[in-house]
Amino acid sequence: MVIKKKPNGTKITLHPNGRQVTIRPNGTKIVSKPNGQKITTRPDGLVISQDPDGTKTTRHPNGRLVTELPDGTKEVLRADGTKITTLTNGRVDTVKPDGTTITQFPNGRKVTTKPNGVKIVLRKNGVKVTSFPNGKKVTLRPDGTKIVLRQNGAKVTTRPDGTVVTIKPNCTKIVRRPAPEVVEQPQPV
């Protein structure tokens, strides 16, 4: 083992197996391994690992782990267990500890899948489609229109004015309009 001290106070230890340990005056420790991996530990608890393939992993004192892959993909694992992966094409995948997955696409579309099988798609144009495991599907449009596709195939559309249009599986169409509002006029006495 060879130990070197630099004038600035940096201490370098060379081990027989090729490992090199550098300790700077500020307390930063850098371990360089023979395989090319380099691990830097700062006094504040931040640990940065750089692999020969270009992968860089940073462990923050609060437990957050950030991995940057050579292809540009970035993975963040939060202390609460949430994992966020940002791909080079701009797509962001989030997996929460409860199993909920959220995918945000570059075109603005967002897909959320809950552990119970409910899938929610929010489109860029503001349309929200919720699909349930039993086959029911609910679509909400920005204008307030609500479309429910039931398990039996019936389609119920509720318009912003309160009109309800039901199309049954046998193609029977039923339209219910809201009752007109009755305004009572005061009677002269």
Side-chain angles (χ1 to χ4, degrees):
M1 180 167 17
V2 177
I3 299 174
K4 296 179 186 177
K5 281 193 174 188
K6 292 188 172 186
N8 67 2
T10 299
K11 179 181 168 185
I12 301 171
T13 305
L14 299 171
H15 295 268
N17 64 3
R19 189 172 67 123
Q20 176 179 307
V21 178
T22 303
I23 299 176
R24 294 187 177 148
N26 68 0
T28 299
K29 179 180 178 181
I30 303 166
V31 177
S32 300
K33 297 183 177 182
N35 67 1
Q37 184 184 34
K38 182 176 168 183
I39 302 168
T40 303
T41 305
R42 295 190 336 201
D44 64 3
L46 186 79
V47 179
I48 302 167
S49 175
Q50 295 172 302
D51 293 338
D53 69 358
T55 300
K56 179 181 174 183
T57 304
T58 305
R59 182 177 304 277
H60 294 262
N62 65 5
R64 186 172 67 134
L65 185 69
V66 179
T67 302
E68 298 170 70
L69 303 174
D71 69 358
T73 299
K74 183 177 180 179
E75 295 177 350
V76 176
L77 182 60
R78 293 182 180 161
D80 69 358
T82 300
K83 182 179 179 182
I84 303 166
T85 304
T86 304
L87 304 173
T88 56
N89 65 4
R91 187 176 107 182
V92 179
D93 295 325
T94 302
V95 180
K96 297 192 173 201
D98 70 357
T100 299
T101 62
I102 302 166
T103 301
Q104 182 75 47
F105 294 91
N107 65 4
R109 188 171 67 122
K110 180 178 175 182
V111 179
T112 302
T113 305
K114 306 232 177 210
N116 62 3
V118 173
K119 182 177 180 180
I120 303 163
V121 177
L122 183 59
R123 298 181 184 143
K124 185 178 180 178
N125 63 4
V127 173
K128 180 180 178 181
V129 180
T130 304
S131 302
F132 298 87
N134 63 7
K136 180 180 175 182
K137 186 182 275 190
V138 178
T139 301
L140 298 173
R141 294 186 178 155
D143 69 358
T145 301
K146 179 180 179 180
I147 303 167
V148 178
L149 183 60
R150 296 183 176 154
Q151 303 88 305
N152 65 3
K155 180 180 177 182
V156 180
T157 303
T158 306
R159 297 182 182 146
D161 67 0
T163 301
V164 177
V165 179
T166 303
I167 301 175
K168 295 186 174 188
N170 65 3
C171 296
T172 304
K173 183 176 183 178
I174 302 168
V175 178
R176 280 187 247 141
R177 298 193 193 309
E181 188 175 313
V182 177
V183 179
E184 291 188 28
Q185 299 291 328
Q187 300 295 324
V189 193

